[in-house]
Amino acid sequence: MRSLRHSFAVLALLAVGGATVAAQSPNEILARYTRTIDPQGKIASIQGMKSTITMDIPAAGMTASIVAMQSRPNLMAMVIDIPGMGQMKQGYDGTTAWSSDPMQGPRLITGQEAAALVDGSDMNSMARKPEQFTHIEAAGEVDVDGVKANCLKLTWKSGRVTTECFSSASGLLVESRQTQQSQMGEVEAVTRLSDYRDVNGILVPHKMTQSAMGMQQMMTTTSVEFGPQDPKAFELPPEVKALKPE
């Protein structure tokens, strides 16, 4: 169940492209991705975002609903409703990463476990601009569901490392791989993205399948809204605030 919490930070996007591109440098691959998903440069002016997602976990016979919100400069909050289990919450208020659920109660998140949350809270992370990384290098080619993709190893400013694979034909991000830190130790996770749709001029993936610890989570986005979000949604819950040192 810990892997449920890692579903949000991964929301990347992509776009078209047209002709297959032969050899591209890592920075050219990222630049093509940015142009494809955001041809009008709208991401830089987005003040907030709210996504409604349905998550299915076939092995557990479980379906959950997710509401995820972001706000500039780097705020995020997510609520997962699981029938029969209750609510799992997670957030970052710009300084504190936290979670709260019926199994572990409220807790502060630190270190590498918090890194994905911090990276994902940055609205600009959608664009994958080179300045968001301290190191970028080519990581070979893979076949993702019959699509040839060029992979990049990206070291984020937080220190987190992800391997992200971009379709040679479209430029779209089709797979992301990373080692996630959790209370259960390191977890290898692979996320595949598809069904890109235009939302106010920005391409957003509406389907993601994440595989980790032998379990699959299939996430289907049912709505995406860009615009300012209620600041109260990002405030620390009282039970989490009580955990912070004076």
Side-chain angles (χ1 to χ4, degrees), residues 10-237:
V10 202
L11 298 225
L13 313 32
L14 308 291
V16 248
T20 300
V21 177
Q24 293 179 303
S25 71
N27 279 2
E28 288 171 337
I29 291 172
L30 289 180
R32 184 186 181 205
Y33 163 75
T34 303
R35 290 195 305 271
T36 303
I37 67 161
D38 186 23
Q40 301 174 61
K42 289 187 171 182
I43 289 177
S45 62
I46 292 175
Q47 294 305 304
M49 178 177 176
K50 180 179 180 180
S51 301
T52 303
I53 300 164
T54 298
M55 178 168 63
D56 293 301
I57 307 177
M62 179 186 298
T63 297
S65 61
I66 303 174
V67 176
M69 290 180 285
Q70 284 177 268
S71 184
R72 282 197 186 276
N74 58 347
L75 309 176
M76 70 81 65
M78 175 172 63
V79 178
I80 304 175
D81 270 302
I82 305 176
M85 186 175 294
Q87 282 191 339
M88 300 173 65
K89 301 179 182 178
Q90 192 172 56
Y92 181 65
D93 70 348
T95 58
T96 303
W98 60 273
S99 71
S100 181
D101 62 69
M103 294 166 287
Q104 300 180 85
R107 68 189 183 95
L108 304 178
I109 302 175
T110 59
Q112 284 300 299
E113 188 183 358
L117 207 57
V118 174
D119 292 337
S121 68
D122 182 352
M123 294 292 299
N124 294 323
S125 66
M126 276 195 295
R128 296 295 197 274
K129 295 290 185 64
E131 54 266 30
Q132 294 174 295
F133 311 103
T134 58
H135 187 69
I136 303 169
E137 64 179 72
E141 295 181 351
V142 296
D143 185 291
V144 179
D145 294 332
V147 175
K148 182 181 174 184
N150 296 306
C151 300
L152 301 178
K153 184 178 180 180
L154 305 174
T155 303
W156 297 69
K157 287 183 176 178
S158 66
R160 190 170 63 104
V161 177
T162 61
T163 298
E164 306 202 331
C165 304
F166 300 83
S167 166
S168 300
S170 68
L172 295 171
L173 176 61
V174 292
E175 182 174 286
S176 177
R177 293 178 248 139
Q178 62 185 301
T179 300
Q180 299 174 336
Q181 298 291 332
S182 75
Q183 289 186 322
M184 298 172 63
E186 292 187 344
V187 176
E188 297 294 331
V190 178
T191 302
R192 290 190 170 180
L193 306 93
S194 61
D195 191 17
Y196 286 87
R197 301 183 188 180
D198 186 303
V199 180
N200 297 335
I202 300 171
L203 287 182
V204 180
H206 278 58
K207 288 189 177 179
M208 295 196 304
T209 300
Q210 186 176 70
S211 302
M213 301 177 66
M215 185 174 289
Q216 271 199 341
Q217 302 171 11
M218 295 179 289
M219 287 165 278
T220 303
T221 298
T222 54
S223 70
V224 177
E225 302 170 11
F226 292 128
Q229 303 298 313
D230 184 351
K232 293 183 179 179
F234 306 99
E235 294 178 355
L236 295 180

